[in-house]
Amino acid sequence: MTERIVIIGNGMAGSRLAGELHARGGDRKVTVLGAEPHRAYNRIMLSTLLTGRIREPDVELAEAAGQGVDLRTGVTVTAIDRAAGTVHTDDGDRLAYDQLVLATGSRAVVPPLPGLDGPELPERVVPFRTLDDCRRILAAADGARAALVLGGGLLGLEAARGLAARGLDVGVVHPVPYLMERQLDPAAAAVLAGTLAGLGVTTHLAVSATRVVADADGVRLDLADGRSLAADLLVLSCGVRPDTALARAAGLDVERGVLVDDRLRTSDPRISAIGDCAQHDGALTGLVAPAWAQARVVAQLLAGEDPGARYRPRPPVTRLKAAGIDLAAMGDPGDGGTGEELTFADPARGTYARLRIHDERLTAAILLGDNPAVGTVIQLFDRGQPVPADRRSLLLGRAFGAAAAPAATPALMPDAATVCQCNDVSKGALVGCWRSGARTVDAVVAATRAGTGCGGCRDAVAGIVGWLSEVDSVEVTR
């Protein structure tokens, strides 16, 4: 009997799961229900779309297609009937399932401010979350001179930089005394604010918004310190909230997200949850790499490929994807912890580095600005490997000893080194793909998925492919 698997959500987690299941074959029918009318797209690349450096087709994700996969876009699930094993949709359909997977993602938080409390947001006020949001922002930015962004977190700064790259004067309003407080310390945030200022983004810190006034002529943001800021457009980037409405209405266990175990199962063993909506071991994800790792585990379990598969979260690494800014942060910058603390700051050059080392392992790091050691630092943190005896090579990105020097060419990079964090693709996998016949960057990317997440590793992938094209395959060292 054909197994019926229904996936609610066609975002980055749901579409990846469908692809993973399709690749494994078997006698099953996979139905994907996506509320958005679009094909699956890479939400992380929307900030790059804002800059104009890429077009909409460039953010589309490869989708599972063909026999055994039924993709329905523009369809909203209205209810889950666990007793009957069915889901109900807004077009009146009722689909039966043997296994159900929630990949409902999260929704943008709209702050409870006067002026934003109506049933719909004003035309010139747009959240930054979906492709439709991005389209509205671009439409409002066309011909605009100034924009405001409410929220100085990761997405807010990416939106601000994207609009500034289009020539707008951009102001960021953030209620916390420094930017990206979840990933940075105050010193790093101060250097980042200086870098942003040089790129046309002004920051207004430690001040809350009290009111929004928007009309056909523009938008005004009133602040708690008595100031008012005017612009043609206001972008809301005030965080996201897991979309748990369906799960809660169906009686599943929900806290901040839908509670799941190591197998990503909810309180109903026939229902799993992955991505932004899932809460595993008390934590939400919010990043693409863990969402895709969860999709892989669920696919292994549902396909019967590996009954022992379990989700084991890896320490997250945050990269700010904005032109002119190179930032990597990992670990908890606010945790004093124990061990060594090394810092270096050169605000005039937009450079800051901080490392925390305990028992010869990196437990936290912030690297802002041009630092050639960033790849090495991420590898050490991600794999828990011992740091070099001379820490200066990591802090300053310079080699002070042969043992401390980061790999200068791909030939010196070990095969185990992870090139693509989002998809967990190693240098060895790229070499193997090349040897199997993929001779271009696009072919290697298509075969390995490297570079299809945040896009931060595309240059590294291109560098490895370029290196491979210059050496005979039998001479590629391991």
Side-chain angles (χ1 to χ4, degrees):
M1 180 178 177
T2 302
E3 184 179 35
R4 300 162 299 182
I5 299 174
V6 175
I7 302 170
I8 303 178
N10 190 40
M12 298 186 73
S15 62
R16 172 57 66 96
L17 175 58
E20 294 273 2
L21 289 169
H22 181 62
R24 285 165 170 80
D27 187 16
R28 68 181 64 88
K29 178 183 179 181
V30 179
T31 302
V32 185
L33 303 173
E36 294 186 69
H38 325 290
R39 294 184 57 182
Y41 59 89
N42 189 332
R43 197 182 305 277
I44 299 174
M45 299 301 291
L46 292 182
S47 56
T48 309
L49 184 61
L50 279 184
T51 68
R53 294 169 57 196
I54 61 175
R55 299 173 303 138
E56 280 195 15
D58 298 318
V59 305
E60 291 181 352
L61 293 170
E63 295 173 328
Q67 186 176 4
V69 178
D70 179 14
L71 171 61
R72 306 184 189 183
T73 58
V75 175
T76 299
V77 174
T78 56
I80 300 170
D81 186 336
R82 292 167 53 196
T86 59
V87 296
H88 300 214
T89 64
D90 60 350
D91 59 5
D93 202 359
R94 180 178 300 179
L95 290 84
Y97 66 82
D98 299 303
Q99 292 288 331
L100 177 66
V101 182
L102 303 178
T104 50
S106 55
R107 297 180 180 272
V109 171
V110 176
L113 295 174
L116 301 182
D117 47 7
E120 294 185 0
L121 291 175
E123 181 179 354
R124 292 180 178 270
V125 179
V126 189
F128 182 44
R129 182 62 183 165
T130 68
L131 179 58
D132 283 338
D133 293 337
C134 196
R135 289 172 173 173
R136 289 182 58 199
I137 292 171
L138 289 173
D142 187 24
R145 293 178 298 176
L148 292 169
V149 177
L150 186 57
L154 181 68
L155 291 180
L157 297 186
E158 289 183 354
R161 179 65 186 106
L163 291 170
R166 288 183 168 271
L168 278 71
D169 292 327
V170 181
V172 174
V173 176
H174 195 47
V176 181
Y178 60 99
L179 299 169
M180 289 182 64
E181 68 277 3
R182 293 184 178 180
Q183 294 87 15
L184 303 183
D185 58 26
V191 175
L192 177 58
T195 300
L196 287 167
L199 295 172
V201 178
T202 302
T203 53
H204 307 271
L205 304 174
V207 61
S208 298
T210 58
R211 183 180 181 85
V212 175
V213 178
D215 55 29
D217 296 324
V219 59
R220 188 187 81 223
L221 188 65
D222 294 339
L223 305 181
D225 60 8
R227 290 182 295 156
S228 293
L229 304 176
D232 303 298
L233 165 69
L234 173 63
V235 176
L236 303 178
S237 184
C238 304
V240 296
R241 183 175 294 117
D243 191 344
T244 61
L246 278 174
R248 195 180 297 274
L252 299 176
D253 291 345
V254 176
E255 290 181 358
R256 290 181 300 158
V258 184
L259 298 182
V260 295
D261 60 16
D262 289 350
R263 301 180 68 179
L264 287 313
R265 294 181 308 185
T266 68
S267 51
D268 184 333
R270 296 175 64 194
I271 303 178
S272 304
I274 60 174
D276 286 6
C277 71
Q279 180 178 331
H280 173 267
D281 197 22
L284 302 170
T285 61
L287 298 173
V288 63
W292 283 353
Q294 290 174 355
R296 183 168 56 252
V297 169
V298 171
Q300 290 171 330
L301 292 169
L302 295 184
E305 177 183 89
D306 182 5
R310 300 292 184 271
Y311 173 60
R312 298 286 184 259
R314 298 170 64 176
V317 177
T318 300
R319 301 295 297 266
L320 178 60
K321 296 163 289 298
I325 303 173
D326 191 358
L327 170 64
M330 57 214 82
D332 184 357
D335 179 13
T338 57
E340 304 173 58
E341 283 274 357
L342 298 89
T343 60
F344 172 80
D346 185 354
R349 295 179 180 272
T351 301
Y352 178 87
R354 175 185 172 189
L355 307 176
R356 184 184 302 131
I357 301 170
H358 180 66
D359 288 340
E360 297 301 305
R361 265 69 175 176
L362 274 172
T363 58
I366 300 171
L367 297 176
L368 174 60
D370 184 17
N371 188 323
V374 62
T376 301
V377 170
I378 291 175
Q379 291 291 328
L380 292 172
F381 175 79
D382 185 56
R383 297 184 178 274
Q385 297 173 333
V387 298
D390 191 336
R391 280 75 156 120
R392 291 174 295 174
S393 62
L394 303 179
L395 193 66
L396 305 176
R398 302 170 186 166
F400 291 92
T409 74
L412 301 179
M413 183 187 298
D415 263 17
T418 303
V419 178
C420 177
Q421 296 286 327
C422 296
N423 288 288
D424 194 22
V425 180
S426 66
K427 177 222 173 180
L430 297 175
V431 172
C433 181
W434 169 274
R435 288 174 167 167
S436 296
R439 301 300 186 186
T440 66
V441 174
D442 287 345
V444 170
V445 167
T448 65
R449 290 175 170 163
T452 61
C454 70
C457 66
R458 287 286 298 211
D459 289 344
V461 173
I464 291 173
V465 171
W467 162 69
L468 288 167
S469 67
E470 295 175 359
V471 299
D472 187 272
S473 61
V474 297
E475 297 178 352
V476 175
T477 57
R478 289 186 175 274

